[in-house]
Amino acid sequence: MQLRRISTAFVGSASHHRDASVGCHQLASKMSNLMPPAVRMTNSHAEDATETKNNGSSIEICVPTPDDMEDIGGILSVGSTGGDVILLDGDLGAGKTCFSRGFVRGRTGRYDERVTSPTYLLSNSYDVDGGSTKLYHMDLYRLSGAETDLLPLDLENVFTSGISLIEWPSRLNKKPSERLEITLTIDSSTDAAPEIEDEDSKYRRMTLIPFGARWVERLQFLQSEGLLEDLM
C-alpha cells in the first residue's frame, strides 16, 4: 500500500501545501470539530483508580518521513488539556523532537514556531489557550534521575496544570498515572529512501500505549476514524 500524508484525512489536496494557512493549524481546527465532546473535554483526573492502568491496548504504526512524524504530533495535540502527559522514549535520533515539533505547532496554531530539543535548557514552554495553559517540552537525557536534578523542573505542578511532552522519561522517579507512552525505534529493515544509506532514511516504528481513560478514548477515536490506518 502506498502511504499517504496523514494530514489528508482532514485537508485533502491542501496537505501538499505545507504553509501556515493549511498546515497544522487547519489540521487541528478540523480535528477538534470532529472529536466528540467526551474526548475533547476530559479535564478531570478523578477517574476510578482501575482506569489509570493500561488495559492491554496499544497501537503500532510505521512512520516513513519526518513530515509524517510531525503530522502525527499535530494530530495528537488536538484536544490536549492541562494534565495531559506524553512520555517519549526510544532510540537516539528516532524522531522524538520531530514529533514534539508537530505537537507544539499543532497545539499553538503557529506553524512557523521554532521548536528545538531542550537538551541543555531541559525545558521549553509555550503559551496556549490565550496564555491560560502552558505546554512544556522537556528533554531529560542529561539528567541522572536524582531527585535534586528533577526538583527545579517543578514536575508536580507541570504534570497537574500543563500539557507535557517528556523526552527520555526513564529519568523520572515516578510516572503520572494518566499518560500516553510513545516509543520510537529506527527500523533498519526498511528504507524510506533506498538510494540514501543513512539512519535518516530509515522508517521509524512508533508504539503508543495509553494509561488512563482519557488516552484510551483518544486512541480509540483515532482508530475509529481511520486516521492512522495507512501507517499501521
Side-chain angles (χ1 to χ4, degrees):
M1 179 190 302
Q2 183 176 359
L3 294 170
R4 62 174 169 82
R5 302 281 307 128
I6 200 166
S7 57
T8 58
F10 304 102
V11 298
S13 61
S15 65
H16 298 291
H17 308 284
R18 299 180 62 83
D19 57 34
S21 62
V22 293
C24 285
H25 179 63
Q26 184 173 356
L27 174 66
S29 176
K30 294 201 173 190
M31 185 172 175
S32 183
N33 291 332
L34 282 172
M35 271 191 170
V39 178
R40 290 203 310 268
M41 304 299 289
T42 50
N43 288 311
S44 173
H45 278 265
E47 292 92 345
D48 184 87
T50 59
E51 294 183 335
T52 64
K53 299 177 181 178
N54 174 253
N55 64 358
S57 64
S58 65
I59 295 177
E60 182 173 321
I61 57 181
C62 178
V63 188
T65 70
D67 281 345
D68 288 311
M69 187 71 77
E70 285 195 31
D71 277 349
I72 295 170
I75 284 176
L76 288 174
S77 77
V78 178
S80 57
T81 61
D84 282 350
V85 178
I86 296 180
L87 305 183
L88 296 161
D89 213 342
D91 296 341
L92 187 67
K96 293 181 283 294
T97 299
C98 190
F99 170 92
S100 299
R101 183 179 301 115
F103 189 102
V104 170
R105 288 176 172 175
R107 189 59 178 83
T108 61
R110 298 188 293 270
Y111 184 72
D112 59 352
E113 182 75 54
R114 186 170 183 269
V115 181
T116 59
S117 175
T119 303
Y120 294 98
L121 296 175
L122 299 183
S123 178
N124 290 331
S125 64
Y126 307 84
D127 289 332
V128 297
D129 300 333
S132 62
T133 305
K134 288 281 190 182
L135 194 170
Y136 298 92
H137 177 204
M138 297 186 179
D139 186 333
L140 309 184
Y141 180 75
R142 295 174 60 245
L143 301 183
S144 67
E147 187 174 350
T148 52
D149 283 348
L150 299 172
L151 195 59
L153 297 175
D154 193 20
L155 290 177
E156 183 175 356
N157 175 62
V158 167
F159 290 157
T160 301
S161 61
I163 301 168
S164 309
L165 303 172
I166 310 295
E167 297 188 32
W168 301 101
S170 59
R171 275 58 169 176
L172 295 173
N173 296 320
K174 183 179 180 181
K175 297 177 180 179
S177 56
E178 291 266 345
R179 65 190 186 274
L180 176 65
E181 293 190 359
I182 296 179
T183 302
L184 296 170
T185 57
I186 298 173
D187 189 345
S188 298
S189 66
T190 56
D191 282 336
E195 70 279 6
I196 303 175
E197 294 190 6
D198 61 30
E199 288 301 289
D200 289 339
S201 73
K202 306 295 185 183
Y203 282 22
R204 270 54 174 166
R205 293 284 177 184
M206 175 185 286
T207 303
L208 303 93
I209 304 177
F211 289 81
R214 63 167 65 187
W215 286 112
V216 170
E217 289 176 2
R218 289 180 193 177
L219 294 193
Q220 286 175 343
F221 174 79
L222 294 180
Q223 287 182 295
S224 68
E225 293 295 318
L227 302 181
L228 302 174
E229 62 183 7
D230 282 355
L231 301 175
M232 295 176 68

